[in-house]
Amino acid sequence: MSKKYLFYILTFIVTISILGIISYSFRYQWFINSIVDQNHKLGLNRNITGFAADYPYIYTYGDYGILILNTLPNGSVKILPNYKGFTYIDGAYSIDDSSLDRLKNVYGDRLRVYSSIDGFSEDEQLIIDEITNKQPKRFDKNDWLYKSF
């Protein structure tokens, strides 16, 4: 095989890889005060009142409860649900609708549903206390990693 064809093949592979990385980086999106999984058109949390990011994790506190999202490919989703926030439908019809059944169908073994805050690790509990305003913030208010509405 000539060097010319090898160059074209390598360029094609690199281009496809870069496009895949870019498209994955837009998987989780914010809409005003909600977080959505764009791949599955699934609302993960809405009316978020507390937020923190500690790469690769996003911590949110909102209508659906406490959500810890690992943003890496095949990352886990941990949730302490507020059952009043979820709609009780089998599937999501818009980004505002979600159900635990839909989350289980989408994330499978990567979804962990907790019944109490004690199931989270100590580090996770500290961040959860911060975003739920139970503890003083460890981040400066101007720090881009922390935002409380």
Side-chain angles (χ1 to χ4, degrees):
M1 190 180 330
S2 71
K3 290 183 180 181
K4 179 180 174 183
Y5 290 117
L6 184 61
F7 173 76
Y8 289 139
I9 291 171
L10 289 176
T11 302
F12 177 75
I13 291 171
V14 168
T15 302
I16 294 299
S17 299
I18 290 172
L19 290 174
I21 291 169
I22 289 171
S23 68
Y24 189 82
S25 66
F26 294 109
R27 178 177 182 180
Y28 301 106
Q29 293 185 351
W30 287 95
F31 289 99
I32 303 175
N33 59 354
S34 300
I35 188 167
V36 176
D37 183 340
Q38 282 295 88
N39 285 2
H40 301 286
K41 303 294 184 212
L42 176 65
L44 296 173
N45 211 342
R46 67 177 174 192
N47 295 327
I48 295 172
T49 57
F51 165 82
D54 188 13
Y55 183 80
Y57 298 99
I58 296 175
Y59 301 81
T60 63
Y61 174 63
D63 281 356
Y64 294 169
I66 296 167
L67 178 87
I68 300 175
L69 179 65
N70 183 337
T71 59
L72 295 176
N74 295 322
S76 64
V77 176
K78 300 176 182 179
I79 187 166
L80 176 60
N82 172 8
Y83 291 97
K84 294 178 185 175
F86 281 99
T87 54
Y88 292 95
I89 56 174
D90 186 17
Y93 299 105
S94 74
I95 60 171
D96 292 328
D97 296 329
S98 190
S99 68
L100 284 178
D101 289 334
R102 175 84 168 129
L103 288 173
K104 289 175 188 173
N105 290 340
V106 169
Y107 294 107
D109 295 342
R110 296 179 296 141
L111 177 69
R112 297 184 190 113
V113 180
Y114 293 88
S115 58
S116 119
I117 198 166
D118 297 330
F120 295 104
S121 71
E122 288 183 28
D123 291 337
E124 291 171 339
Q125 288 181 20
L126 288 173
I127 295 173
I128 290 168
D129 285 346
E130 291 172 7
I131 65 174
T132 57
N133 295 320
K134 293 181 182 174
Q135 292 291 330
K137 297 173 181 68
R138 66 183 169 128
F139 299 115
D140 186 320
K141 287 183 180 180
N142 295 323
D143 192 337
W144 69 274
L145 289 175
Y146 182 86
K147 185 167 184 167
S148 180
F149 299 100

